[in-house]
Amino acid sequence: MKREDRKHPDGTIQGKSSPADRDRILYSPEFRRLASVTQVAVAEGGLLFHNRLTHSLKVAQIGRRLAEGLLDSHREIAVSLGGIDPETVESAALAHDLGHPPFGHVAERKLDKLLLKEGVADGFEGNPQSFRIVTKIAVQGDHYDGLNLARATLNALLKYPHMRKPSGKGNKKWGAYTFEEDDFRFARALQTVGNGDSMCVEAQIMTWADDITYSVHDIEDFYQAGLIPLDQLTSKDGREVDRFLANVFERWSRKGITSKYGKDELSEAFRGLLKLAPIQEPYSGARRQQAALRNFTSGLIDRYVGHTKLIEGDNSSGNLEIDKNILMEVEMLKELLWYYVIKNPALASQEHGQSRIIEELFNIFAQAATSNDSDDWAILPGRARELIDEIVKLNGQNTSKNERLRVVADTVAGMTEQQALQMFHRLTAISPGSLFQPIAT
Ligand SMILES: Nc1nc2c(ncn2[C@H]2C[C@H](O)[C@@H](COP(=O)(O)OP(=O)(O)OP(=O)(O)O)O2)c(=O)[nH]1
């Protein structure tokens, strides 16, 4: 079905994803690429961390389960909200991280800085990049751009349903670049409840599924890797817990981070959460440890899914009601990752290098792509050369810098981590590669 044909026949607000949407996302190479995009850290030495692909599959599964559960337990409210479509939640969840560049957040921040420096005002962020991929970049058919997803799927993908704002939170996270403003309006035409920036209920479910998913699997990954000492945190003497909490609150005050909750209630929620963890020793892989860990993580997911309720009303403050204790637990699970993993100097130094790779790639490609001599474009992958050629033909040499730089950002952001590394080695003469080794498409 074509995009315009997918409008509800009587022009009213409700829309549903087509099952084709889910399949189109799943079959796209952009989805496959997520297998080579880091979630938190690159796995080494036989460890098997989640990557953005395994993460997205789990968000889709938890999102679907949440939606089905809410339909079951709160059918009347769901109907009053115009229905909840599990298929839409699943499709949006599969697509939600497509825009993550190689090396994840560190590259996101770097690409944003580089584009802003070059005067491309709406910069770079993973969320608008996901939206751009499904509406413009991915190739599904010959006669349209993107995956031709239904309005409902696009709207459910909009966790930040506004364009980039000049300042504040809306400047850090947003839903679509100006290049995709038409697609954004097409998606948002469904939304007549809440204020202008309200997420639809499917996007709210997808967002909560994302939070549940990563806060649980990140702990699983890094306890197994020996970085998060769950065994010491659960120990009766409480020393590690005190040390952790003191560090969290010290970082918050240093960084001006605020929470909706008080320190005492957060500390209590965290101690309560640890009581659920049947873990007393460092991870060695023993069968009983594997079973205990699975028990803990699946118990947490059940707990978080089960404590989610649906509430009526316009959705300006959301239609999901999540137990306060659960929200505090999830907040503290995220802090475990920050304290023991993200702030770890080994990861920080790795991220420093990854940021350099992205910067070099962007600068070298940008210089080539903005050249008026088409021979200079030869170092770019084929699709980028084709697009730059089209842009120049349409806009002329001197008026197309922003469009060309957007293609450069798409090219770098669309690489796998191996491709980025190989291309960096090749372009900076660290290792020339082979004539027969294709450059990324
Ligand atoms: N290594 C590293 N990992 C990070 C960093 N920030 C977040 N992460 C990881 C932790 C989680 O697994 C995941 C959370 O980020 P996401 O982009 O998936 O979701 P978030 O809700 O923070 O952002 P969103 O609102 O979806 O754009 O990424 C960072 O600065 N470095």
Side-chain angles (χ1 to χ4, degrees):
M1 214 187 305
K2 285 280 162 54
R3 191 170 89 162
E4 288 307 317
D5 300 337
R6 290 181 178 202
K7 281 182 190 162
H8 193 279
D10 63 8
T12 54
I13 57 161
Q14 279 311 318
K16 277 189 151 223
S17 287
S18 145
D21 285 2
R22 178 188 160 282
D23 301 347
R24 285 174 180 199
I25 296 161
L26 202 57
Y27 278 75
S28 67
E30 286 77 9
F31 185 72
R32 238 167 22 246
R33 182 189 72 94
L34 296 179
S36 171
V37 180
T38 294
Q39 179 71 23
V40 175
V42 180
E44 293 284 349
L47 292 166
L48 198 58
F49 294 157
H50 287 78
N51 53 47
R52 292 276 162 189
L53 181 82
T54 48
H55 164 74
S56 299
L57 289 169
K58 289 188 175 180
V59 179
Q61 185 266 338
I62 292 180
R64 183 164 194 121
R65 192 130 74 85
L66 270 168
E68 287 169 349
L70 291 172
L71 271 178
D72 219 34
S73 56
H74 298 73
R75 185 159 293 275
E76 276 179 29
I77 300 178
V79 170
S80 79
L81 295 173
I84 293 178
D85 183 23
E87 192 83 32
T88 304
V89 176
E90 187 177 358
S91 301
L94 288 173
H96 84 286
D97 268 351
L98 289 177
H100 259 281
F103 315 123
H105 287 283
V106 68
E108 236 180 337
R109 294 190 285 266
K110 179 54 80 179
L111 286 171
D112 188 45
K113 267 197 195 140
L114 290 164
L115 284 168
L116 291 180
K117 195 169 131 218
E118 291 290 344
V120 182
D122 56 2
F124 187 94
E125 211 276 324
N127 290 282
Q129 191 68 16
S130 296
F131 194 75
R132 179 166 164 82
I133 288 172
V134 298
T135 54
K136 288 276 170 60
I137 296 177
V139 177
Q140 171 73 34
D142 235 1
H143 310 298
Y144 50 85
D145 291 331
L147 298 178
N148 190 27
L149 304 180
R151 251 182 231 275
T153 310
L154 294 176
N155 196 26
L157 186 55
L158 291 168
K159 175 173 175 185
Y160 303 98
H162 52 80
M163 311 298 287
R164 190 169 202 176
K165 295 186 179 178
S167 58
K169 282 188 182 162
N171 183 258
K172 294 208 160 59
K173 300 267 182 181
W174 65 103
Y177 302 125
T178 42
F179 282 113
E180 281 71 59
E181 198 159 354
D182 282 354
D183 301 282
F184 175 82
R185 298 207 181 293
F186 170 79
R188 291 298 284 169
L190 267 184
Q191 191 72 26
T192 60
V193 286
N195 63 37
D197 286 356
S198 300
M199 278 187 259
C200 65
V201 66
E202 282 91 354
Q204 296 171 49
I205 295 173
M206 187 263 288
T207 299
W208 177 225
D210 189 21
D211 276 12
I212 297 176
T213 308
Y214 74 70
S215 57
V216 173
H217 69 46
D218 288 349
I219 302 312
E220 184 180 357
D221 281 354
F222 295 102
Y223 161 63
Q224 286 183 306
L227 289 181
I228 296 183
L230 277 182
D231 52 306
Q232 292 172 39
L233 287 161
T234 55
S235 126
K236 287 218 170 55
D237 68 28
R239 271 187 307 194
E240 189 62 27
V241 174
D242 292 344
R243 204 160 71 91
F244 164 73
L245 290 171
N247 273 284
V248 170
F249 299 136
E250 184 277 320
R251 184 175 79 89
W252 285 6
S253 75
R254 195 165 25 89
K255 293 264 177 193
I257 298 171
T258 50
S259 168
K260 275 200 269 182
Y261 312 109
K263 288 181 190 173
D264 288 346
E265 53 185 353
L266 281 167
S267 306
E268 198 172 323
F270 182 61
R271 290 196 172 92
L273 169 69
L274 290 171
K275 291 201 181 106
L276 303 174
I279 288 168
Q280 280 99 33
E281 41 187 19
Y283 191 74
S284 70
R287 190 178 191 287
R288 86 192 128 68
Q289 283 191 333
Q290 292 185 39
L293 188 58
R294 285 287 296 119
N295 207 293
F296 177 48
T297 54
S298 60
L300 284 185
I301 292 170
D302 279 350
R303 177 175 164 80
Y304 298 158
V305 169
H307 277 82
T308 306
K309 297 190 181 110
L310 197 61
I311 50 174
E312 278 182 274
D314 82 13
N315 67 357
S316 49
S317 56
N319 301 109
L320 298 188
E321 188 178 69
I322 300 152
D323 199 89
K324 179 178 165 191
N325 218 52
I326 298 294
L327 290 172
M328 291 195 290
E329 284 180 20
V330 169
E331 193 162 326
M332 295 315 279
L333 283 173
K334 293 180 187 175
E335 288 303 322
L336 277 178
L337 186 79
W338 271 95
Y339 178 59
Y340 290 108
V341 186
I342 297 179
K343 290 294 141 208
N344 185 314
L347 183 61
S349 54
Q350 217 176 36
E351 291 193 345
H352 183 82
Q354 292 166 341
S355 175
R356 290 276 297 273
I357 294 176
I358 296 297
E359 182 164 13
E360 286 283 348
L361 286 177
F362 179 89
N363 285 336
I364 294 171
F365 281 161
Q367 199 177 6
T370 51
S371 165
N372 285 340
D373 180 351
S374 59
D375 286 348
D376 290 339
W377 307 343
I379 61 168
L380 295 163
R383 179 66 183 138
R385 288 199 303 276
E386 187 182 35
L387 283 168
I388 293 193
D389 193 42
E390 283 169 20
I391 289 167
V392 168
K393 284 189 179 125
L394 198 70
N395 300 328
Q397 290 280 20
N398 298 324
T399 55
S400 54
K401 185 176 166 205
N402 276 7
E403 286 85 351
R404 295 198 219 185
L405 291 175
R406 182 57 69 196
V407 171
V408 170
D410 290 340
T411 304
V412 176
M415 289 179 164
T416 65
E417 293 178 0
Q418 288 88 339
Q419 285 169 338
L421 201 58
Q422 277 169 14
M423 186 55 101
F424 169 75
H425 284 165
R426 187 188 282 247
L427 292 172
T428 56
I430 291 173
S431 162
S434 149
L435 181 61
F436 302 103
Q437 191 182 359
I439 63 172
T441 54

